[in-house]
Amino acid sequence: MLVAIDSYLRAQPGTVEASSALNEIVEAISSGKATFLGLVEQLGPQLTHSDPFARAKGVGALSSVLVQCPADRIGSSAVNVLVKFYLERLQDQPSVGELLIGIRAMLQSDIVMSSDAETIAKSIFTDLAVQTYQQTVRHIAFEIFDLLMAKQLPAVRRLGPAFVSEYVQMVDGEKDPRNLLLAFRTVRLIIRQLDFAEHAEDLFGIVFCYFPITFRPPPDDVYGITADDLKLALRECIAATPLFAKYAMPLLIEKLASISGSAKRDAMETITACAPVYGADAFLPHVEHLWNYLKEEIFKTADDHNIAAALSAVNAITMTLSSATVSSSSHKSPLETFLELAVKDSMHNFKDPELKYAKLSGKMLVAAASACDPACHQVVNAVLPLVLEQCRLQNLPTRQKHLLEVLFDFLKAGQEVYGLTSLSAMDLDDDFLNPLLAFKDRLFELYIAASAASSEYMPLRRSGIRGLAALLMSRQLLAGVEVNVAIGQLNQAIITDPDAEVRQEALQSLITYATAKPDVVLQATFPTLFRELPDGAASQPPAHVANVLEAILALSTATLHKHGLKGLLARLYSIGALTSYSEHDVQYAEALATAILGIVDGAQSTASDAENMAVADNIMQPVLQKAIAASISQEVLLTDARILRIVARVLGSVTRCLSAAQQRLLLESVVDTFSNGNLTRLALSPGNIPFRPFDANAPETQTRLSILFAAVFFNARPEIPLPVPDAAVYLEMLLARSLETPDQILSESLVKCVASTLNKTKNEAAVSTFLQLGTVTHMLQGTSVGESRSRERCISVASWIARALVIRSHSAGYQLATEILGLLGEGEEGAQSPAAIAIGVIVHEPEDGCLTRRSFANLLYKQRFFGHCVPVLVNGFQQGSSGAKQAYLLALSQLLKNVPKTVLSNALTQIFPLLLCSLALPDADLKLATLDTLQALLGECAVAISGQISSVVAALLSIGTGTVAGQPGNRSGDTMLVRIAALKTLGDLPRKFDYALLYPHKVAVLRQLNAALDDPKRAVRKEASAARNRWFLLLGRA
């Protein structure tokens, strides 16, 4: 250990050599090879050296070992020696910092005895003038006292009031924010744990001298201390004890007269915090002054934060004064005196409700009324008669609206004092009677009239709706018939009001009330809404149906979702049975199915397994029964492919939320029904026409139902076995049928089932065996030979098999993807390239959730697949024909749309030329994907793009303005969305790139953007104007 000690003393602090030597010393003591007292003895010459800096080095070594050494290896005898030694050396100034580090380490390790802790405090007070040292030393001293208060409180208490006096002197003059946070925390502990009454004024003075905090952290502050941290800590100190009240109140009131808005806000927030602690007696002498200052702040300031602080102060003072007793010489309580001032200074403002003073007066009075029951009674009884009288006198909708908002605020105040409808009677004291009850009838009448007003002034109706909602949610106000009338009015607003904001307000009101009284909403609202939905063929305008469905979907939460489902399913079955239907009917059925999907998806997060099973019973079997029965007999709307796709998503969502046992039973039933035609599994009677949707001669009405089969199949959990005798044979049958059928729906549905099984299985041998099957070989051969439709089908099927394998990182998936990429060079034209579309299948997230995390698929990140494809695409584009180039670019766009943009940055140099070429092609989807990618890369890869900025600007201008080389060009592919995206990206350039890089293009950009300002589409003109403004403001930095 001697060698290690010598090495540490010779090394520079913070070096690797010093750290290594210290670790060696600590290891020796920890393992028992040396003792701590032995270390002290060996450091003896250094600790008694004549050179003060050498002594400091020795103390530093000892303290560093104390910090890292386990407490149980130091020993109580060594602790006593160390404490005595450290305290004796406190007058050795060069060593003070290291000494305090050692003392802190011993306190943190809980090895200091109570008597020694008392001595530590006395010695620091006596021997150290803490404020004469640098910040780091002062910080350690404050940490020591923080530890003493936290871990050695009995020792501190033995010091008595002297500790408080000495600590005040130590803190005096401190300015560092890190130290102040520690000092404020210790002051709070002193107030909470010690008898400080003798020095209360001194303790208050050392705290309040920092009020108000004006600290601004430096830009490079690594400690993260903010002004708000200091303000909150200081406020907690000032509000920590009522003994500070007589010193604090005059000073806080003085700060309210400050010209600084920040100082006044701090004073008001501190008064708010102090009010419940100081009590009414502290505020009584200052009530009038406080009111005058707060009133001025509310009425005259333009700062919303100060107004909020003043309102909070009014509320806190009112609450505090409510506890004051009436003196024998006065007929009024302090609360009554304070509120009379508030009412007197506010009442005249309500005569002109459109001015801001009326609204602010209402806010101020509401802040007081919401504090307590006595305040609410006094303010409501004084103010509401006048406001209600003004409502009777005012005929202008704008004035009525402002007055109704004031009344609404009083209703909210009543809710704060007396509670909400949702609270049970046991939660609040019913001895308190809501003073608003006396004005209920008039309020109810006003809000009903406003919500039903025929005026075109929408805000008035909206205020009426908000008022009705507040009345409904207020305890003790509405009951019985009044509730039904109010809900009926909200129902009518949802159904008939022409303004979307009013409808949304009414809907939100019902949603809120449904959380408190779901049975009332179920009985009063659901029947009304369902009456607006046609039962059978669509007979209502689509916009009206959409509004009603939105309301049903929003209300079908928690306990109400099963009722919403029941009604919507009945409507879907009704219209789904139509044999002759229009496009309007199909849109209605789609809307119904989409709403059902929304309810099912929303219920999953809160429903239990039993509730999920109940949902499955209500949906799964009835839907399958009706669809299968219809497919056997005749064509009905329910079997239309557009409806089936949405219904399939519903079935998939239901399947996912079932338990493994429930999924097993469901899969057995569905497989038996669809594969074997066993209709008894779904309680259907076999008819003259068999149900065999997978047979080669099955009618299209039956093959379409494969969408429903697949939805159940690929959403099952991985542990669910296939309910067939031989899974490999069954999967090969499905794959063969998928390849041979001309029905696109059947082909895609069956291959999704196969792909899902391949992805989820944990049997690698079974996957390898499957890939060797003749059907798979036939599929691979079919991708490159045969007639066009057959090739397209084989490529489509292969893309799903590749997806299943790629996302589980199987090598065969990448081999298959490589073969698909190789097909891009065969000259298919752009959007018609099945190989390019197949790349999109591999990486996209399908709406039905097939092979996604939702359907329990094994997923790995897309970065590897992107890296696999990019070199092939780049090379193929460079060497391919013009037709093949477009196919490669389309394949690239499929990747760009589905791969996270962060993945693209690594391959930007390779793909950027392809991105620019994509912008010149007429494919709108390709352009949108490219522009979306380009916009995302502007911020992350600006350096890499800067070399091509001229080409980027030219391409964006060409698209956004519909020009080619400055002349009017062909807008093929430049749809409105494409033009908007191009102009948005162009407008982002000045914010992403340096002035010197963009300035050469400024004149040309401003000139050519004039063409976009004349675009026939308003949205395009708006984006062009925004882009032109940003380029116009492109200026060099001074």
Side-chain angles (χ1 to χ4, degrees), residues 4 70 117 150 171 203-204 281 324 342 397 404 443 461 638 665 726 738 756 782 849 869:
V171 175
L203 195 60
F204 172 78
D281 290 340
L404 290 178
L443 289 170
R461 298 198 304 279
L638 185 61
L665 294 174
D726 190 327
S738 176
S756 174
C869 293

Side-chain angles (χ1 to χ4, degrees), residues 311-338:
L311 292 173
S312 296
V314 169
N315 180 270
I317 293 170
T318 305
M319 176 66 79
T320 300
L321 292 176
S322 68
S323 63
T325 56
V326 181
S327 65
S328 58
S329 61
S330 173
H331 298 292
K332 296 180 181 178
S333 69
L335 176 62
E336 290 174 325
T337 302
F338 180 73

Side-chain angles (χ1 to χ4, degrees), residues 154-359:
V156 174
R157 282 176 173 163
R158 286 196 297 272
L159 294 173
F163 177 87
V164 180
S165 176
E166 295 289 350
Y167 189 77
V168 166
Q169 293 180 34
M170 190 187 87
V171 175
D172 191 13
E174 182 59 58
K175 295 181 179 179
D176 185 81
R178 290 163 287 176
N179 295 348
L180 285 175
L181 283 178
L182 279 172
F184 292 154
R185 185 165 69 188
T186 304
V187 166
R188 293 198 302 275
L189 290 172
I190 289 172
I191 293 170
R192 192 178 303 130
Q193 303 291 350
L194 303 182
D195 179 9
F196 68 96
E198 184 179 332
H199 300 286
E201 185 173 2
D202 294 335
L203 195 60
F204 172 78
I206 202 63
V207 168
F208 199 84
C209 67
Y210 296 102
F211 188 91
I213 294 289
T214 56
F215 169 70
R216 288 187 180 181
D220 55 348
D221 179 32
V222 298
Y223 299 101
I225 297 175
T226 65
D228 287 339
D229 295 333
L230 290 168
K231 288 178 181 179
L232 182 60
L234 175 59
R235 190 176 303 143
E236 289 175 348
C237 287
I238 297 173
T241 172
L243 295 180
F244 285 170
K246 62 181 179 180
Y247 313 114
M249 288 306 298
L251 296 174
L252 289 172
I253 291 173
E254 182 183 328
K255 296 297 182 184
L256 288 177
S258 169
I259 61 172
S260 168
S262 176
K264 287 194 285 188
R265 182 164 63 251
D266 286 347
M268 290 184 291
E269 289 174 347
T270 304
I271 288 172
T272 302
C274 292
V277 179
Y278 288 1
D281 290 340
F283 283 84
L284 289 178
H286 311 287
V287 165
E288 191 166 348
H289 285 93
L290 281 170
W291 169 250
N292 289 330
Y293 283 123
L294 294 175
K295 174 187 69 175
E296 183 176 357
E297 197 63 26
I298 292 172
F299 285 147
K300 295 185 179 180
T301 187
D303 190 326
D304 290 340
H305 296 291
N306 278 32
I307 293 175
L311 292 173
S312 296
V314 169
N315 180 270
I317 293 170
T318 305
M319 176 66 79
T320 300
L321 292 176
S322 68
S323 63
T325 56
V326 181
S327 65
S328 58
S329 61
S330 173
H331 298 292
K332 296 180 181 178
S333 69
L335 176 62
E336 290 174 325
T337 302
F338 180 73
L339 293 179
E340 281 183 357
L341 291 172
V343 172
K344 177 183 176 183
D345 290 337
S346 303
M347 293 289 278
H348 63 280
N349 291 322
F350 294 120
K351 295 181 179 179
D352 200 347
E354 290 184 284
L355 296 181
K356 72 170 186 176
Y357 295 115
K359 181 177 181 180

Side-chain angles (χ1 to χ4, degrees), residues 873 888-898 918 923 925-927 929-930 933:
L873 292 175
Y888 280 110
L889 292 176
L890 179 62
L892 177 63
S893 76
Q894 299 289 350
L895 287 175
L896 298 180
K897 286 188 291 187
N898 297 286
S918 299
D923 191 312
D925 289 337
L926 177 58
K927 286 186 175 182
T930 304
T933 303

Side-chain angles (χ1 to χ4, degrees), residues 647-825:
V647 171
R649 292 172 61 189
V650 174
L651 300 189
S653 185
V654 173
T655 302
R656 286 193 294 271
C657 69
L658 297 177
S659 65
Q662 294 165 346
Q663 284 189 353
R664 182 179 291 106
L665 294 174
L666 176 62
L667 190 61
E668 288 176 359
S669 175
V670 170
V671 169
D672 193 19
T673 300
F674 278 79
S675 299
N676 304 321
N678 185 4
L679 299 181
T680 58
R681 295 298 294 263
L682 294 176
L684 287 170
S685 302
N688 297 327
I689 302 175
F691 179 69
R692 303 300 292 265
F694 300 160
D695 285 358
N697 57 352
E700 186 181 358
T701 53
Q702 292 189 18
T703 60
R704 279 193 216 135
L705 300 193
S706 59
I707 302 176
L708 308 183
F709 171 80
V712 175
F713 195 106
F714 64 67
N715 280 295
R717 302 173 190 271
E719 62 268 25
I720 308 300
L722 281 179
V724 294
D726 190 327
V729 172
Y730 185 72
L731 291 177
E732 185 177 16
M733 181 275 292
L734 293 181
L735 181 62
R737 185 75 184 102
S738 176
L739 289 168
E740 69 187 21
T741 180
D743 188 323
Q744 179 63 31
I745 292 177
L746 177 62
S747 177
E748 184 176 295
S749 299
L750 296 183
V751 75
K752 283 181 178 179
C753 297
V754 176
S756 174
T757 305
L758 287 178
N759 175 265
K760 295 175 185 178
T761 183
K762 297 180 180 178
N763 189 342
E764 292 291 338
V767 175
S768 300
T769 302
F770 179 85
L771 294 175
Q772 302 301 319
L773 293 174
T775 306
V776 176
T777 304
H778 171 69
M779 174 192 73
L780 296 176
Q781 293 173 346
T783 59
S784 55
V785 298
E787 54 97 13
S788 175
R789 288 190 177 180
S790 176
R791 287 182 62 243
E792 288 181 11
R793 192 177 311 113
C794 288
I795 292 173
S796 176
V797 171
S799 68
W800 282 101
I801 302 297
R803 174 179 171 81
L805 298 173
V806 163
I807 63 177
R808 66 174 287 168
S809 198
H810 197 287
S811 58
Y814 287 93
Q815 294 172 7
L816 185 52
T818 302
E819 294 187 25
I820 293 174
L821 287 168
L823 300 173
L824 291 169

